[in-house]
Coordinates of all heavy atoms in Angstrom, one line a residue:
M1 N -21.2 32.2 56.0 CA -21.1 33.3 55.1 C -20.0 33.1 54.0 O -20.2 33.5 52.9 CB -20.8 34.6 55.9 CG -20.7 35.8 55.1 SD -22.3 36.3 54.5 CE -22.0 37.8 53.7
L2 N -18.9 32.6 54.5 CA -17.8 32.3 53.5 C -18.2 31.3 52.5 O -17.9 31.4 51.3 CB -16.5 31.9 54.2 CG -15.4 31.6 53.4 CD1 -14.9 32.9 52.7 CD2 -14.3 31.0 54.2
I3 N -18.9 30.2 52.9 CA -19.3 29.2 52.0 C -20.3 29.6 51.0 O -20.2 29.3 49.8 CB -19.9 28.0 52.8 CG1 -18.7 27.3 53.7 CG2 -20.4 26.9 51.9 CD1 -19.2 26.3 54.5
S4 N -21.2 30.5 51.4 CA -22.2 31.1 50.4 C -21.5 31.9 49.3 O -22.1 32.1 48.2 CB -23.3 31.8 51.1 OG -22.7 32.9 51.8
S5 N -20.5 32.6 49.7 CA -19.8 33.5 48.6 C -18.8 32.8 47.8 O -18.2 33.3 46.9 CB -19.2 34.7 49.3 OG -18.1 34.3 50.1
L6 N -18.5 31.5 48.1 CA -17.5 30.7 47.3 C -17.8 30.6 45.9 O -16.9 30.8 45.0 CB -17.3 29.4 48.0 CG -16.1 28.5 47.7 CD1 -14.9 29.3 48.1 CD2 -16.1 27.2 48.3
P7 N -19.0 30.2 45.4 CA -19.2 30.2 43.9 C -19.0 31.5 43.2 O -18.4 31.5 42.1 CB -20.7 29.7 43.8 CG -21.1 29.2 45.1 CD -20.2 29.9 46.1
H8 N -19.4 32.5 43.8 CA -19.2 33.9 43.2 C -17.7 34.2 43.1 O -17.2 34.6 42.1 CB -19.9 34.9 44.0 CG -19.4 36.3 43.7 ND1 -19.6 37.0 42.6 CD2 -18.6 37.2 44.5 CE1 -19.1 38.2 42.6 NE2 -18.4 38.3 43.8
M9 N -17.0 33.9 44.2 CA -15.5 34.2 44.2 C -14.8 33.4 43.2 O -13.9 33.9 42.5 CB -15.0 33.9 45.6 CG -13.5 34.1 45.8 SD -12.9 33.6 47.4 CE -13.1 31.9 47.3
L10 N -15.1 32.1 43.0 CA -14.4 31.3 42.1 C -14.6 31.7 40.7 O -13.7 31.7 39.8 CB -14.8 29.8 42.3 CG -14.3 29.2 43.6 CD1 -14.9 27.8 43.7 CD2 -12.8 29.2 43.7
L11 N -15.9 32.1 40.3 CA -16.2 32.5 39.0 C -15.5 33.8 38.6 O -15.0 34.0 37.5 CB -17.7 32.7 38.8 CG -18.5 31.3 38.6 CD1 -20.0 31.6 38.7 CD2 -18.1 30.7 37.3
E12 N -15.5 34.7 39.6 CA -14.9 36.0 39.3 C -13.4 35.9 39.2 O -12.8 36.5 38.4 CB -15.3 37.0 40.5 CG -15.2 38.4 40.0 CD -15.9 39.3 40.9 OE1 -15.5 39.3 42.1 OE2 -16.9 40.0 40.5
I13 N -12.7 35.1 40.0 CA -11.3 34.9 40.0 C -10.9 34.3 38.6 O -10.0 34.7 38.0 CB -10.8 34.1 41.1 CG1 -10.8 34.9 42.4 CG2 -9.4 33.5 40.9 CD1 -10.4 34.1 43.7
F14 N -11.7 33.3 38.2 CA -11.5 32.6 36.9 C -11.7 33.6 35.7 O -10.9 33.6 34.8 CB -12.5 31.5 36.7 CG -12.2 30.7 35.4 CD1 -11.1 30.1 35.2 CD2 -13.2 30.7 34.4 CE1 -10.8 29.4 34.0 CE2 -13.0 30.0 33.3 CZ -11.8 29.3 33.0
A15 N -12.6 34.5 35.8 CA -12.8 35.5 34.8 C -11.6 36.5 34.7 O -11.1 36.9 33.6 CB -14.1 36.4 35.0
F16 N -11.1 36.9 35.9 CA -10.0 37.8 35.9 C -8.7 37.1 35.4 O -7.8 37.7 34.8 CB -9.8 38.4 37.2 CG -10.8 39.5 37.5 CD1 -11.6 39.4 38.6 CD2 -11.1 40.5 36.6 CE1 -12.6 40.4 38.9 CE2 -12.0 41.5 36.8 CZ -12.8 41.4 38.0
C17 N -8.6 35.8 35.7 CA -7.5 35.0 35.2 C -7.5 34.9 33.7 O -6.4 35.0 33.0 CB -7.4 33.6 35.8 SG -6.9 33.6 37.5
L18 N -8.7 34.8 33.0 CA -8.8 34.8 31.6 C -8.4 36.1 31.0 O -7.7 36.2 30.0 CB -10.2 34.4 31.2 CG -10.6 33.0 31.3 CD1 -12.1 32.8 30.9 CD2 -9.7 32.1 30.5
W19 N -8.7 37.2 31.7 CA -8.4 38.6 31.3 C -6.8 38.7 31.4 O -6.3 39.3 30.5 CB -9.1 39.5 32.1 CG -8.8 41.0 31.8 CD1 -8.4 41.9 32.7 CD2 -8.9 41.7 30.6 NE1 -8.3 43.1 32.1 CE2 -8.6 43.0 30.8 CE3 -9.3 41.3 29.3 CZ2 -8.5 44.0 29.7 CZ3 -9.3 42.2 28.3 CH2 -9.0 43.5 28.5
M20 N -6.2 38.2 32.4 CA -4.8 38.3 32.5 C -4.1 37.5 31.4 O -3.0 38.0 30.9 CB -4.3 37.8 33.9 CG -4.8 38.7 35.0 SD -4.5 40.4 34.8 CE -2.8 40.6 34.9
V21 N -4.6 36.4 31.0 CA -4.0 35.6 29.9 C -4.1 36.4 28.6 O -3.1 36.5 27.8 CB -4.8 34.3 29.7 CG1 -4.4 33.6 28.4 CG2 -4.4 33.4 30.9
A22 N -5.2 37.1 28.3 CA -5.3 37.9 27.1 C -4.3 39.1 27.2 O -3.7 39.5 26.2 CB -6.7 38.5 26.9
L23 N -4.1 39.7 28.4 CA -3.2 40.8 28.5 C -1.8 40.3 28.4 O -0.9 41.1 27.9 CB -3.4 41.6 29.8 CG -4.7 42.4 29.9 CD1 -4.8 43.0 31.3 CD2 -4.7 43.5 28.9
D24 N -1.5 39.1 28.8 CA -0.2 38.5 28.7 C 0.2 38.4 27.2 O 1.3 38.6 26.8 CB -0.1 37.2 29.4 CG 1.3 36.6 29.4 OD1 2.3 37.4 29.7 OD2 1.5 35.5 28.9
R25 N -0.7 37.9 26.4 CA -0.5 37.8 24.9 C -0.2 39.2 24.3 O 0.7 39.3 23.5 CB -1.7 37.2 24.2 CG -1.8 35.7 24.3 CD -3.0 35.2 23.4 NE -3.4 36.0 22.4 CZ -4.7 36.1 22.1 NH1 -5.6 35.3 22.6 NH2 -5.1 36.9 21.1
F26 N -0.9 40.2 24.7 CA -0.7 41.6 24.2 C 0.7 42.0 24.7 O 1.5 42.7 24.0 CB -1.7 42.5 24.7 CG -1.7 43.9 24.1 CD1 -1.8 44.0 22.8 CD2 -1.5 44.9 24.9 CE1 -1.8 45.3 22.2 CE2 -1.4 46.2 24.4 CZ -1.6 46.4 23.0
N27 N 1.1 41.7 25.9 CA 2.4 42.1 26.5 C 3.5 41.4 25.7 O 4.5 42.1 25.4 CB 2.5 41.7 28.0 CG 3.8 42.2 28.6 OD1 4.4 43.1 28.1 ND2 4.1 41.6 29.8
K28 N 3.4 40.1 25.4 CA 4.4 39.4 24.6 C 4.6 40.1 23.2 O 5.6 40.2 22.7 CB 4.0 38.0 24.5 CG 4.3 37.2 25.7 CD 3.9 35.7 25.6 CE 4.1 35.0 26.8 NZ 3.6 33.6 26.8
W29 N 3.4 40.4 22.6 CA 3.5 41.1 21.3 C 4.2 42.4 21.4 O 5.0 42.7 20.5 CB 2.0 41.3 20.8 CG 2.0 42.0 19.5 CD1 2.1 41.4 18.3 CD2 1.9 43.4 19.2 NE1 2.1 42.3 17.3 CE2 1.9 43.5 17.8 CE3 1.7 44.5 20.0 CZ2 1.8 44.8 17.2 CZ3 1.6 45.7 19.4 CH2 1.6 45.9 18.1
I30 N 4.0 43.2 22.4 CA 4.7 44.5 22.6 C 6.2 44.2 22.8 O 7.0 44.9 22.2 CB 4.1 45.2 23.7 CG1 2.7 45.8 23.4 CG2 5.0 46.4 24.1 CD1 2.0 46.4 24.6
R31 N 6.5 43.2 23.6 CA 7.9 43.0 23.8 C 8.6 42.5 22.6 O 9.8 42.9 22.3 CB 8.1 41.9 25.0 CG 7.9 42.5 26.3 CD 8.2 41.6 27.4 NE 7.2 40.5 27.4 CZ 7.5 39.2 27.7 NH1 8.6 38.9 28.2 NH2 6.5 38.3 27.7
Y32 N 8.0 41.6 21.8 CA 8.6 41.2 20.5 C 8.7 42.3 19.6 O 9.7 42.4 18.8 CB 7.8 40.0 19.9 CG 7.9 38.7 20.6 CD1 6.8 37.9 20.7 CD2 9.1 38.3 21.1 CE1 7.0 36.7 21.4 CE2 9.3 37.1 21.8 CZ 8.2 36.3 21.9 OH 8.3 35.1 22.5
K33 N 7.7 43.2 19.5 CA 7.8 44.3 18.6 C 8.9 45.3 19.0 O 9.6 45.8 18.1 CB 6.4 45.1 18.7 CG 6.2 46.0 17.6 CD 5.9 45.3 16.4 CE 5.2 46.2 15.4 NZ 5.0 45.6 14.1
I34 N 9.1 45.5 20.3 CA 10.2 46.4 20.7 C 11.6 45.8 20.5 O 12.5 46.4 20.0 CB 10.0 46.8 22.2 CG1 8.8 47.7 22.3 CG2 11.2 47.5 22.7 CD1 8.4 48.0 23.8
S35 N 11.8 44.5 20.9 CA 13.1 43.9 20.8 C 13.4 43.3 19.4 O 14.5 43.0 19.1 CB 13.2 42.7 21.9 OG 12.3 41.7 21.5
R36 N 12.4 43.2 18.6 CA 12.6 42.7 17.2 C 13.2 41.3 17.2 O 13.9 40.9 16.2 CB 13.4 43.6 16.4 CG 12.9 45.0 16.3 CD 12.7 45.5 14.9 NE 12.4 46.9 14.9 CZ 11.3 47.3 14.4 NH1 10.4 46.5 14.0 NH2 11.1 48.6 14.4
K37 N 12.9 40.5 18.2 CA 13.4 39.1 18.2 C 12.6 38.2 17.3 O 13.1 37.3 16.7 CB 13.3 38.5 19.7 CG 14.2 39.1 20.6 CD 14.1 38.4 22.0 CE 15.0 38.9 23.0 NZ 14.9 38.4 24.3
K38 N 11.4 38.5 17.1 CA 10.5 37.8 16.3 C 9.9 38.7 15.3 O 9.6 39.9 15.6 CB 9.4 37.1 17.1 CG 8.8 35.9 16.5 CD 7.8 35.4 17.6 CE 7.7 33.9 17.5 NZ 6.7 33.4 18.4
Q39 N 9.7 38.2 14.1 CA 9.0 39.1 13.0 C 7.5 39.2 13.4 O 6.8 38.2 13.4 CB 9.2 38.5 11.7 CG 8.7 39.3 10.6 CD 9.4 40.6 10.4 OE1 10.5 40.7 10.8 NE2 8.7 41.6 9.8
T40 N 7.1 40.4 13.6 CA 5.7 40.6 13.9 C 5.1 41.5 12.9 O 5.5 42.7 12.8 CB 5.4 41.2 15.3 OG1 6.2 42.4 15.5 CG2 5.8 40.2 16.4
N41 N 4.3 41.1 12.0 CA 3.7 41.9 11.0 C 2.3 42.4 11.3 O 1.7 43.1 10.5 CB 3.6 41.0 9.7 CG 5.0 40.7 9.2 OD1 5.9 41.4 9.4 ND2 5.0 39.5 8.5
T42 N 1.9 42.1 12.5 CA 0.5 42.6 12.9 C 0.6 44.1 13.4 O 1.6 44.6 13.8 CB -0.1 41.8 13.9 OG1 0.8 41.7 15.1 CG2 -0.3 40.3 13.4
K43 N -0.5 44.7 13.4 CA -0.7 46.1 13.8 C -1.2 46.2 15.2 O -1.8 45.2 15.7 CB -1.6 46.9 12.9 CG -1.1 46.9 11.4 CD 0.0 47.8 11.2 CE 0.4 47.8 9.7 NZ 1.7 48.3 9.5
L44 N -1.0 47.3 15.9 CA -1.5 47.5 17.2 C -3.0 47.4 17.3 O -3.5 46.8 18.2 CB -1.0 48.9 17.7 CG -1.5 49.3 19.1 CD1 -0.8 48.4 20.2 CD2 -1.1 50.7 19.4
F45 N -3.6 48.0 16.3 CA -5.1 48.0 16.3 C -5.6 46.6 16.3 O -6.6 46.2 16.9 CB -5.7 48.8 15.2 CG -7.1 48.8 15.1 CD1 -7.9 49.6 16.0 CD2 -7.8 48.1 14.1 CE1 -9.3 49.6 16.0 CE2 -9.2 48.1 14.1 CZ -9.9 48.8 15.0
Y46 N -5.0 45.7 15.5 CA -5.4 44.3 15.3 C -5.3 43.6 16.6 O -6.1 42.8 17.0 CB -4.7 43.6 14.2 CG -5.0 42.2 14.0 CD1 -6.2 41.8 13.5 CD2 -4.1 41.2 14.5 CE1 -6.5 40.4 13.3 CE2 -4.4 39.9 14.3 CZ -5.6 39.5 13.7 OH -5.9 38.1 13.7
E47 N -4.1 43.7 17.3 CA -3.9 43.1 18.5 C -4.8 43.6 19.6 O -5.3 42.8 20.4 CB -2.4 43.3 19.0 CG -1.4 42.6 18.1 CD -1.4 41.1 18.2 OE1 -1.8 40.6 19.2 OE2 -1.2 40.5 17.2
F48 N -5.1 44.8 19.6 CA -6.0 45.4 20.6 C -7.4 44.9 20.4 O -8.2 44.6 21.3 CB -6.0 46.9 20.6 CG -6.6 47.6 21.7 CD1 -6.1 47.5 23.0 CD2 -7.8 48.3 21.6 CE1 -6.7 48.1 24.1 CE2 -8.5 48.9 22.6 CZ -7.9 48.8 23.9
K49 N -7.8 44.7 19.1 CA -9.1 44.2 18.7 C -9.2 42.7 19.2 O -10.3 42.4 19.7 CB -9.3 44.3 17.2 CG -10.6 43.8 16.7 CD -10.6 43.9 15.2 CE -11.6 42.9 14.6 NZ -11.6 42.9 13.2
L50 N -8.2 42.0 19.1 CA -8.2 40.6 19.6 C -8.4 40.5 21.1 O -9.2 39.6 21.6 CB -6.9 39.8 19.3 CG -6.7 39.4 17.8 CD1 -5.4 38.8 17.6 CD2 -7.8 38.6 17.3
I51 N -7.8 41.4 21.8 CA -8.0 41.5 23.3 C -9.4 41.9 23.7 O -10.0 41.2 24.5 CB -7.0 42.5 23.9 CG1 -5.5 41.9 23.9 CG2 -7.3 42.9 25.3 CD1 -4.5 42.9 24.4
L52 N -10.0 42.8 23.0 CA -11.3 43.3 23.2 C -12.3 42.2 22.9 O -13.3 41.9 23.6 CB -11.7 44.5 22.5 CG -11.1 45.8 23.1 CD1 -11.5 47.0 22.2 CD2 -11.5 46.0 24.5
I53 N -12.1 41.4 21.8 CA -13.0 40.4 21.5 C -13.0 39.3 22.5 O -14.0 38.8 23.0 CB -12.6 39.7 20.1 CG1 -13.0 40.7 19.0 CG2 -13.2 38.4 19.9 CD1 -12.5 40.3 17.6
S54 N -11.8 38.9 23.0 CA -11.7 37.9 24.1 C -12.3 38.4 25.4 O -12.9 37.6 26.1 CB -10.3 37.4 24.3 OG -9.5 38.5 24.9
Y55 N -12.2 39.7 25.7 CA -12.8 40.3 26.9 C -14.4 40.2 26.8 O -15.0 39.7 27.7 CB -12.4 41.7 27.0 CG -13.0 42.3 28.3 CD1 -12.4 42.0 29.6 CD2 -14.0 43.3 28.2 CE1 -12.9 42.6 30.7 CE2 -14.5 43.8 29.4 CZ -13.9 43.5 30.6 OH -14.4 44.1 31.8
V56 N -14.9 40.6 25.7 CA -16.4 40.5 25.4 C -16.9 39.2 25.4 O -18.0 38.8 25.9 CB -16.8 41.4 24.2 CG1 -18.2 41.2 23.8 CG2 -16.4 42.8 24.4
K57 N -16.1 38.3 24.8 CA -16.6 36.9 24.5 C -16.5 36.0 25.8 O -17.4 35.1 26.0 CB -15.7 36.3 23.5 CG -16.3 35.1 22.7 CD -15.3 34.6 21.7 CE -15.9 34.1 20.5 NZ -15.0 33.6 19.5
Y58 N -15.5 36.2 26.6 CA -15.3 35.3 27.7 C -15.4 35.9 29.1 O -16.0 35.4 30.0 CB -13.9 34.6 27.6 CG -13.7 33.9 26.3 CD1 -12.8 34.3 25.4 CD2 -14.4 32.7 26.1 CE1 -12.6 33.6 24.2 CE2 -14.3 32.0 24.9 CZ -13.4 32.5 24.0 OH -13.2 31.8 22.8
V59 N -14.8 37.1 29.3 CA -14.8 37.7 30.6 C -16.1 38.3 31.1 O -16.6 38.1 32.2 CB -13.6 38.7 30.7 CG1 -13.6 39.4 32.0 CG2 -12.3 38.1 30.4
I60 N -16.7 39.1 30.2 CA -17.9 39.8 30.6 C -19.0 38.7 30.9 O -19.7 38.9 31.9 CB -18.4 40.8 29.5 CG1 -17.4 42.0 29.6 CG2 -19.8 41.2 29.8 CD1 -17.8 43.0 28.6
P61 N -19.2 37.6 30.1 CA -20.3 36.7 30.6 C -20.0 36.0 31.8 O -20.9 35.8 32.7 CB -20.3 35.7 29.4 CG -19.8 36.4 28.2 CD -18.8 37.3 28.8
L62 N -18.7 35.7 32.2 CA -18.4 35.1 33.4 C -18.6 36.1 34.6 O -19.1 35.7 35.7 CB -16.9 34.7 33.4 CG -16.6 33.3 32.8 CD1 -15.2 33.0 32.7 CD2 -17.3 32.2 33.6
I63 N -18.4 37.4 34.4 CA -18.6 38.3 35.4 C -20.1 38.5 35.6 O -20.6 38.6 36.8 CB -18.0 39.7 35.1 CG1 -16.4 39.5 35.3 CG2 -18.5 40.8 36.0 CD1 -15.7 40.8 34.8
V64 N -20.9 38.4 34.6 CA -22.4 38.5 34.8 C -22.9 37.3 35.5 O -23.8 37.4 36.4 CB -23.0 38.6 33.3 CG1 -24.6 38.4 33.4 CG2 -22.8 40.0 32.8
I65 N -22.4 36.1 35.2 CA -22.8 34.9 35.9 C -22.3 35.0 37.3 O -23.1 34.5 38.2 CB -22.2 33.6 35.2 CG1 -22.8 33.4 33.8 CG2 -22.4 32.4 36.0 CD1 -22.1 32.4 32.9
A66 N -21.2 35.5 37.6 CA -20.7 35.7 39.0 C -21.6 36.6 39.7 O -21.9 36.4 40.9 CB -19.3 36.2 39.0
A67 N -22.1 37.7 39.1 CA -23.0 38.6 39.8 C -24.3 37.9 40.0 O -24.9 38.1 41.1 CB -23.2 39.8 38.9
F68 N -24.8 37.1 39.1 CA -26.0 36.3 39.4 C -25.8 35.4 40.5 O -26.7 35.3 41.5 CB -26.4 35.5 38.1 CG -27.6 34.6 38.3 CD1 -28.9 35.2 38.2 CD2 -27.4 33.3 38.5 CE1 -29.9 34.4 38.4 CE2 -28.5 32.5 38.7 CZ -29.8 33.0 38.6
T69 N -24.7 34.7 40.6 CA -24.5 33.8 41.8 C -24.3 34.6 43.0 O -24.7 34.1 44.1 CB -23.3 32.9 41.5 OG1 -22.1 33.7 41.4 CG2 -23.4 32.0 40.3
E70 N -23.8 35.8 43.0 CA -23.6 36.6 44.2 C -25.0 37.0 44.7 O -25.2 37.0 45.9 CB -22.7 37.8 43.9 CG -22.6 38.7 45.2 CD -21.8 39.9 44.8 OE1 -21.7 40.3 43.6 OE2 -21.2 40.4 45.7
T71 N -25.9 37.3 43.8 CA -27.2 37.8 44.2 C -28.1 36.7 44.6 O -28.8 36.8 45.7 CB -27.8 38.6 43.1 OG1 -26.9 39.6 42.6 CG2 -29.1 39.2 43.5
Y72 N -28.2 35.6 43.9 CA -29.3 34.6 44.1 C -28.7 33.4 44.7 O -29.3 32.9 45.7 CB -30.0 34.3 42.8 CG -30.7 35.4 42.2 CD1 -30.3 36.1 41.1 CD2 -31.8 36.0 42.9 CE1 -30.9 37.2 40.6 CE2 -32.5 37.0 42.3 CZ -32.0 37.7 41.2 OH -32.7 38.8 40.7
V73 N -27.6 32.8 44.3 CA -27.1 31.5 44.7 C -26.6 31.6 46.1 O -26.7 30.8 47.0 CB -26.1 31.0 43.8 CG1 -25.5 29.7 44.3 CG2 -26.7 30.7 42.4
A74 N -25.9 32.8 46.4 CA -25.3 33.0 47.8 C -26.4 33.1 48.8 O -26.3 32.5 49.9 CB -24.4 34.2 47.8
D75 N -27.5 33.8 48.5 CA -28.7 33.8 49.4 C -29.3 32.4 49.6 O -29.7 32.1 50.7 CB -29.7 34.8 48.9 CG -29.3 36.2 49.0 OD1 -28.4 36.5 49.8 OD2 -29.9 37.1 48.2
W76 N -29.4 31.7 48.5 CA -30.0 30.4 48.6 C -29.1 29.4 49.4 O -29.7 28.7 50.3 CB -30.1 29.9 47.2 CG -30.7 28.5 47.1 CD1 -32.0 28.1 47.4 CD2 -30.0 27.3 46.7 NE1 -32.1 26.8 47.1 CE2 -30.9 26.3 46.7 CE3 -28.7 27.0 46.2 CZ2 -30.6 25.0 46.4 CZ3 -28.4 25.7 45.9 CH2 -29.3 24.7 46.0
I77 N -27.8 29.5 49.3 CA -26.9 28.6 50.1 C -26.9 29.1 51.5 O -27.0 28.2 52.4 CB -25.5 28.7 49.5 CG1 -25.4 28.0 48.2 CG2 -24.4 28.1 50.5 CD1 -24.1 28.2 47.5
S78 N -26.9 30.3 51.9 CA -27.0 30.8 53.3 C -28.3 30.4 53.9 O -28.4 30.1 55.1 CB -26.7 32.3 53.4 OG -27.7 33.0 52.7
H79 N -29.4 30.4 53.1 CA -30.7 30.1 53.6 C -30.7 28.5 54.0 O -31.3 28.1 55.0 CB -31.8 30.4 52.6 CG -33.2 30.0 53.1 ND1 -33.8 30.6 54.1 CD2 -34.0 29.1 52.6 CE1 -34.9 30.1 54.4 NE2 -35.1 29.1 53.4
I80 N -30.1 27.7 53.1 CA -30.0 26.3 53.4 C -29.2 26.0 54.6 O -29.5 25.1 55.4 CB -29.5 25.6 52.1 CG1 -30.6 25.6 51.0 CG2 -29.1 24.1 52.4 CD1 -30.1 25.0 49.7
L81 N -28.1 26.7 54.7 CA -27.1 26.4 55.9 C -27.6 26.9 57.2 O -27.2 26.5 58.2 CB -25.8 27.0 55.5 CG -25.0 26.3 54.4 CD1 -23.7 27.0 54.2 CD2 -24.8 24.8 54.7
S82 N -28.6 27.9 57.2 CA -29.0 28.4 58.4 C -30.2 27.7 59.0 O -30.8 26.8 58.5 CB -29.3 29.9 58.3 OG -30.4 30.1 57.5

């Protein structure tokens, strides 16, 4: 059972790691904006738009692929192993 869910788990963890990287960039932008250590001329809407673009472009397709592997590949692997 654990081996059959491994592909799904790895893809989903990778997708959430990519999402955390995008949120970390946004967090750094907020910290620089508050502390004024670095000149940031960008607006909040622009930064938020970049995060949403990376979410739609990278994270959602990986989650869809992970759902596909959870539904079909996990059954196929468990059928082979049994």
